[in-house]
Amino acid sequence: AGQYNELASLLLSPQEGLIKHLLERETTTDVISMAAYGTALGIYWCVAVLIFGISVPAGNFIPGMTIGAALGRILGEALDHSLYDDNPATESKAGRFALMGAGAVLCGVTRMTITIAAILVEVSNDVNSALPLMWTLAFAKVIADVLAPGFDDGMMNLLQLPYLEHDPPHEFEVLTARDVMAREVIVLKEVERVGDILAVLKRTRHCGFPVIDVGRSHRCSYFAGLIVRRHLMVLLKHRVWELQAVGAPLPASLKADFFESGRNSAQLTRSFLSYDLPSEDKEQLIDLRGFMDPCPYLANELMPLRRVYRLFNELGVRHLPVVDCREQVVGMITRKDVQPEIIEERFMVEDLDALAKALFHREADELEEVEGGPPKNAAAASVVDTLIGQHGCQGLRNCSQILTTAAALNSIDLAERSSCTEQSESSPVEATPDATKSACAAAPDAEQASVPLEATVATVAAG
């Protein structure tokens, strides 16, 4: 009787009771030892690290407060034992240190200052702690900003979510939509074959497709509208071409599926994986003019990138077709295309491509001057060796880009020529005679329609 387990009292208590105990100011005889506090802190910290970021309805506010309060409590208890052992009647400072520790850790995780100060002053019911708490939060935020991004920003970067800051970078001042758009775009005609639509849906994962008016000569590509992937799947599912052939009105079930497709897009995509049509149905025609968006947001190819950035950030645009002065579709921009990291990677690849071409031509000219010199394949191999020597094989992506660039120059397989052969086996270079380009010429966005229907651009699987 009268015995208790210190560690169980800390770990098995409700979260509210644990925080109240850590922030307690009164000196009691039943003090939990520092070893118990340290053990509980280690266990709680490990569990919090494992749980943060998983797909469960949990937050990081209460765990951050608990970890910070435990750290502050341990420091406060150590100071009490070292300074006030001779005078037990002195008020314990451990509770105040726990309050400062909770604020510091919360500020480091969430990067909030005034809000945390107001919450903790309200929780502790101690207005006198407001000033030292504000100083603590200020120092914690400055140090945290120097060391690492906030928890939420770090998770978005880790998951590669297309999050855009409120203001675009200053480097966007000199860029236009033409600099970041995907130049190879899958387009659909206003009246399109069912088989072509089915092939596009099965071979790509793009979510938006510009619809063009080909004119009487069938050689134009004037922009007419935009249609999204889920709407095309609904049209094929309900066999709209049969209704259009007889002039029948659209049934209520089709209209309901059409307007609710955004909510059920995942289920619709799964059911469409095994969907197929007979050959005679694939030759039928669908008129898309009644189902497309005839007036989406557009961007001229010379529009400043800062304005394009604000369209995505403030208006929530998902797909932005790019047209020239004659209203012909020349590209497509998605949210990932205006991310600074993607733009920087694209320009780096373009610089590498230009360097490879310059080296190739220089090596080829030097070899031609030698009588009976080796063929141009040797020049391409020399380009690969030079690029690897200058840039190194920093990961699978860089190695694959080097190999793809050199293969595009001379249409040969150079995997055996480089020291990255083992890495490149998991990222083979695929090319077609119709078009061979650098794998990173367009941003790797699944929503971006960046491959023409008639030709497939060489792609590299960067793990």
Side-chain angles (χ1 to χ4, degrees):
Q3 297 181 353
Y4 62 93
N5 187 289
E6 296 178 345
L7 194 58
S9 300
L10 294 175
L11 295 179
L12 301 181
S13 297
Q15 200 75 41
E16 181 181 359
L18 175 59
I19 294 178
K20 284 183 177 180
H21 172 76
L22 293 174
L23 300 179
E24 186 178 8
R25 302 291 182 86
E26 299 179 357
T27 304
T28 60
T29 55
D30 299 330
V31 179
I32 295 179
S33 64
M34 293 180 57
Y37 282 128
T39 305
L41 173 62
I43 296 174
Y44 201 94
W45 184 84
C46 293
V47 173
V49 169
L50 294 176
I51 291 178
F52 279 1
I54 64 176
S55 300
V56 295
N60 55 15
F61 195 88
I62 297 299
M65 180 184 292
T66 304
I67 293 174
L71 284 170
R73 187 81 188 187
I74 292 174
L75 180 59
E77 292 284 354
L79 291 176
D80 285 344
H81 287 303
S82 61
L83 300 178
Y84 304 115
D85 273 348
D86 297 337
N87 188 7
T90 304
E91 181 184 358
S92 175
K93 304 296 183 181
R96 181 161 293 186
F97 275 94
L99 182 65
M100 302 303 156
V105 174
L106 277 179
C107 182
V109 172
T110 63
R111 304 301 163 87
M112 295 187 296
T113 53
I114 299 178
T115 303
I116 293 177
I119 291 174
L120 292 181
V121 169
E122 183 71 22
V123 168
S124 62
N125 196 21
D126 185 7
V127 181
N128 296 327
S129 300
L131 184 58
L133 185 59
M134 289 181 180
W135 279 106
T136 302
L137 295 175
F139 280 110
K141 188 176 188 309
V142 170
I143 295 174
D145 288 339
V146 172
L147 295 179
F151 175 80
D152 295 331
D153 294 336
M155 289 301 300
M156 286 187 291
N157 293 334
L158 182 64
L159 298 176
Q160 297 182 348
L161 299 179
Y163 173 76
L164 301 178
E165 298 290 343
H166 183 267
D167 295 321
H170 296 290
E171 292 78 5
F172 284 13
E173 295 284 355
V174 296
L175 299 177
T176 63
R178 183 167 54 188
D179 297 321
V180 301
M181 70 181 183
R183 302 180 183 275
E184 308 291 344
V185 184
I186 293 180
V187 296
L188 300 174
K189 294 177 289 187
E190 290 180 324
V191 180
E192 187 63 88
R193 289 178 62 253
V194 174
D196 290 341
I197 297 177
L198 183 63
V200 166
L201 295 178
K202 285 188 173 294
R203 295 175 185 174
T204 69
R205 295 187 299 165
H206 310 319
C207 294
F209 304 94
V211 181
I212 61 172
D213 179 6
V214 296
R216 296 181 178 178
S217 61
H218 296 277
R219 296 180 180 179
C220 303
S221 59
Y222 297 113
F223 181 80
L226 182 72
I227 191 166
V228 294
R229 182 185 189 90
R230 61 178 184 271
H231 290 168
L232 291 174
M233 290 190 290
V234 171
L235 298 181
L236 295 184
K237 176 183 176 182
H238 288 272
R239 305 176 67 87
V240 175
W241 62 90
E242 295 180 349
L243 300 175
Q244 292 179 342
V246 298
L250 300 178
S253 59
L254 187 150
K255 295 179 180 179
D257 288 348
F258 194 84
F259 289 109
E260 295 180 2
S261 59
R263 186 185 309 172
N264 306 323
S265 59
Q267 180 181 358
L268 186 63
T269 302
R270 287 193 298 268
S271 63
F272 197 79
L273 293 177
S274 58
Y275 185 81
D276 201 2
L277 292 171
S279 301
E280 55 271 15
D281 286 336
K282 293 182 179 180
E283 299 298 326
Q284 302 298 320
L285 300 176
I286 292 183
D287 190 347
L288 301 177
R289 286 172 288 190
F291 307 99
M292 68 182 184
D293 182 2
C295 52
Y297 286 102
L298 286 177
N300 187 276
E301 60 180 345
L302 299 180
M303 177 182 286
L305 189 56
R306 288 181 61 88
R307 294 174 58 185
V308 174
Y309 187 94
R310 295 192 181 279
L311 286 177
F312 285 95
N313 200 23
E314 298 179 3
L315 300 181
V317 176
R318 293 191 62 188
H319 311 92
L320 187 65
V322 182
V323 297
D324 59 11
C325 58
R326 296 174 295 174
E327 294 294 325
Q328 298 198 49
V329 179
V330 294
M332 175 74 85
I333 301 177
T334 61
R335 193 177 185 87
K336 286 188 176 181
D337 291 327
V338 295
Q339 285 189 287
E341 299 82 7
I342 301 296
I343 296 176
E344 182 180 359
E345 181 182 357
R346 175 178 297 181
F347 280 109
M348 181 181 65
V349 172
E350 290 179 356
D351 292 341
L352 182 63
D353 204 8
L355 176 62
K357 291 180 180 179
L359 289 175
F360 176 77
H361 290 302
R362 188 187 69 183
E363 294 287 341
D365 293 340
E366 292 179 356
L367 290 173
E368 287 178 357
E369 295 177 359
V370 180
E371 183 178 357
K376 284 192 175 183
N377 285 4
S382 177
V383 169
V384 173
D385 296 335
T386 303
L387 290 176
I388 292 177
Q390 292 182 359
H391 298 275
C393 294
Q394 299 175 356
L396 183 61
R397 179 182 295 274
N398 289 347
C399 181
S400 301
Q401 291 171 359
I402 292 172
L403 294 176
T404 306
T405 302
L409 292 173
N410 213 32
S411 302
I412 59 173
D413 184 10
L414 299 173
E416 298 179 356
R417 290 286 305 167
S418 71
S419 59
C420 303
T421 304
E422 297 180 0
Q423 295 180 359
S424 63
E425 290 177 358
S426 60
S427 61
V429 176
E430 301 173 2
T432 61
D434 297 328
T436 307
K437 292 186 177 181
S438 176
C440 297
D445 183 10
E447 298 179 355
Q448 174 178 292
S450 60
V451 183
L453 186 61
E454 297 82 3
T456 303
V457 176
T459 57
V460 175

